[in-house]
Amino acid sequence: MRSRLTVALGHAARLAARLRGGGSGGTAFPGLVMERTDPGFLARTLGRLPHGVVVVSGTNGKTTTTKMVVQLLREQGLRVFTNRTGSNFVRGVLASLLTEVDAAGRLDADIAVLELDEAHAVHFVAQVRPRACLLLNVMRDQLDRFGEIDYTASLLHRIAAATREVVVVNADDPRLAAPAFFEGVTARTAAFGAGAQLRSLFLSDDDLRTGATAPTPGPGAAGPGAGGAPAPRTTLEAIEGQRATVRVDGQDHEVDFAIPGVHNLLNACAALEVVLEVLGDRADLPGLLRTLGRVEAAFGRGEVLTLDDHPVQLSLVKNPAGFRMGLLSAAAQAQAGEAVMVAINDEYADGRDMSWLWDVDFSALREGGVAVVTGVRAWDMALRLDYDEVPIGRVEPDLRKALALLRQAAREADRPMRIFTTYTAMLSLRSILGGLTEVEEVMS
């Protein structure tokens, strides 16, 4: 009876939010109502799942990696609940549950795979102890919220300590692989990582700061109490265009990926590793590898749309490491040049502190230049590009006008388009693009 009332209140709140928002939005408010009126709903509902909950957290790659984990598990026959909108606060999870449960609050799923913001994941695991967690990396991001990255690492440690069965970490991240990180962790541990030949491509935050690449942890590490993270079971060994070599348990496998971005190839290894740990002997490795090759980008994270018969790729950027990988991916994919736009906002979801832009090397954009710079912090971004001697076509803070300028530049030069964008600018741009071309609707 309690769950039935909670679901009814949630639906009423969702309807009210949509009416107030003119028919859109309403992804957080219903969750707030449910959280306040029935604090036990989350644990009660997810606690019934036979295969438990998998939490995905870390600074970069959460949304795309979560999508990969979900697709891998579904094609292995499991019914998976996830917060597919990317609303990664506890209230966002509750709002996603509202769209999936029946009137009595029952969820038709075997397992939940949830992307969670590092800080909000701590509140989640206090209510629901996950069966497994996948911790991707620790990078400087939203310093106004998190402060120094050691604090972010401490949040991820609390997730690991609350996990019941298996903790999967990035073996190349010095904070996640350190012995101190595993103090108090009772679950078994596993790891993924980049092979020695690619280690200089996937830099940790310390690598970015010092300019030196930390050595990959050796095979002697064996988990808590034995020197930190175990040697990675799943590694990315080589990349050639969209083909990559993925090593699992010492055996190499060639995978042709559909998803763009070199960073997403490492995310794929992370997703594969946690799924192998969750499925155990039931895992069909050849089938999992085939599925990985078919996964496409999550919305705004390398997503490719079509506008004026030209492709336009949305590359989410929110910290130095993420922007660096976006630039690397652009350099690897662009054959005949692209018309580039950079959209920088500083709303709460982006992080108010934009000083991180000065930690990014934009020299890769010098040759082709940037057609348009836009967003709330357009002039700050233009100044940063000017210091790196990157030519700029126009500075237009209004996103709609800026997109029109980008379309014009692409048509005149007959080039594809790429937009580097912060999170809230990406949401606005997708809304604008939705009136111009086919855009997948993802918000509930």
Side-chain angles (χ1 to χ4, degrees):
M1 180 61 72
R2 182 74 183 273
S3 293
R4 189 178 295 273
L5 178 60
T6 301
V7 171
L9 287 171
H11 281 301
R14 185 168 181 262
L15 177 60
R18 283 180 170 264
L19 289 173
R20 185 175 182 181
S24 63
T27 60
F29 180 63
L32 171 61
V33 170
M34 297 166 74
E35 188 177 40
R36 293 285 177 83
T37 58
D38 186 0
F41 180 82
L42 188 69
R44 195 165 62 245
T45 305
L46 295 180
R48 299 189 184 109
L49 297 177
H51 293 282
V53 175
V54 178
V55 166
V56 180
S57 196
T59 305
N60 289 332
K62 294 186 290 292
T63 301
T64 298
T65 306
T66 299
K67 180 180 181 181
M68 290 177 173
V69 174
V70 169
Q71 193 161 332
L72 288 171
L73 289 172
R74 282 179 175 162
E75 296 204 19
Q76 293 284 300
L78 292 180
R79 297 168 299 164
V80 185
F81 164 72
T82 188
N83 50 335
R84 70 182 299 267
T85 66
S87 183
N88 56 21
F89 293 3
V90 174
R91 292 169 188 173
V93 175
L94 283 165
S96 294
L97 273 173
L98 183 63
T99 67
E100 299 291 334
V101 296
D102 64 16
R106 291 185 293 263
L107 181 62
D108 184 24
D110 300 309
I111 191 169
V113 179
L114 303 173
E115 169 196 348
L116 288 169
D117 169 273
E118 299 94 306
H120 287 265
V122 172
H123 300 295
F124 177 88
V125 300
Q127 300 176 58
V128 181
R129 290 190 64 191
R131 173 188 174 190
C133 71
L134 172 58
L135 307 178
L136 297 169
N137 42 57
V138 184
M139 299 284 184
R140 282 170 290 170
D141 183 41
Q142 298 193 40
L143 298 182
D144 51 308
R145 284 185 62 210
F146 293 114
E148 291 303 314
I149 61 174
D150 286 333
Y151 173 67
T152 306
S154 75
L155 296 174
L156 296 182
H157 172 263
R158 290 165 68 179
I159 300 170
T163 299
R164 295 184 290 109
E165 186 173 308
V166 59
V167 174
V168 179
V169 300
N170 183 343
D172 301 325
D173 190 297
R175 284 167 180 78
L176 298 181
F181 185 80
F182 295 95
E183 293 177 4
V185 174
T186 57
R188 61 186 173 85
T189 60
F192 69 95
Q197 299 303 311
L198 297 180
R199 195 53 196 88
S200 61
L201 185 61
F202 299 99
L203 302 181
S204 70
D205 195 88
D206 288 357
D207 297 334
L208 288 170
R209 189 178 69 254
T210 64
T213 303
T216 302
R233 176 185 178 188
T234 303
T235 57
L236 181 64
E237 294 294 324
I239 301 173
E240 185 176 349
Q242 289 297 106
R243 169 166 286 198
T245 302
V246 177
R247 182 172 296 171
V248 181
D249 294 329
Q251 184 173 353
D252 287 350
H253 306 269
E254 301 298 318
V255 181
D256 291 311
F257 284 92
I259 195 166
V262 292
H263 53 293
N264 283 326
L265 305 184
L266 186 60
N267 290 336
C269 290
L272 178 61
E273 177 58 28
V274 76
V275 168
L276 288 172
E277 297 298 332
V278 168
L279 293 179
D281 293 339
R282 298 171 50 203
D284 169 19
L285 180 58
L288 290 170
L289 292 169
R290 287 193 297 271
T291 300
L292 272 184
R294 294 193 299 269
V295 175
E296 296 182 350
F299 76 103
R301 280 81 170 174
E303 179 183 27
V304 180
L305 310 174
T306 301
L307 182 62
D308 303 328
D309 295 322
H310 289 93
V312 53
Q313 185 165 151
L314 300 175
S315 297
L316 181 69
V317 295
K318 60 193 186 83
N319 53 48
F323 215 140
R324 173 182 175 273
M325 295 308 296
L327 291 168
L328 283 173
S329 295
Q333 293 170 17
Q335 301 298 320
E338 296 174 319
V340 173
M341 182 165 84
V342 183
I344 304 295
N345 277 0
D346 64 351
E347 304 299 332
Y348 175 77
D350 306 301
R352 302 287 189 184
D353 184 354
M354 288 290 115
S355 63
W356 62 267
L357 291 170
W358 293 88
D359 294 328
V360 182
D361 179 1
F362 292 102
S363 59
L365 296 175
R366 279 181 194 151
E367 183 176 351
V370 172
V372 190
V373 180
T374 186
V376 176
R377 300 294 286 270
W379 290 103
D380 299 77
M381 186 69 239
L383 177 64
R384 177 67 192 93
L385 291 173
D386 185 63
Y387 266 79
D388 272 0
E389 301 177 352
V390 176
I392 300 170
R394 293 283 295 275
V395 179
E396 173 49 71
D398 184 272
L399 293 173
R400 190 176 296 274
K401 293 178 181 178
L403 185 59
L405 292 170
L406 179 67
R407 294 176 72 185
Q408 179 182 346
R411 283 195 301 265
E412 291 175 352
D414 192 25
R415 290 182 175 183
M417 292 166 275
R418 182 182 296 268
I419 303 174
F420 295 105
T421 173
T422 54
Y423 181 72
T424 63
M426 179 267 289
L427 294 179
S428 297
L429 286 166
R430 288 186 92 256
S431 178
I432 297 168
L433 286 163
L436 302 171
T437 187
E438 184 177 346
V439 177
E440 180 189 6
E441 177 66 34
V442 295
M443 304 306 285
S444 62

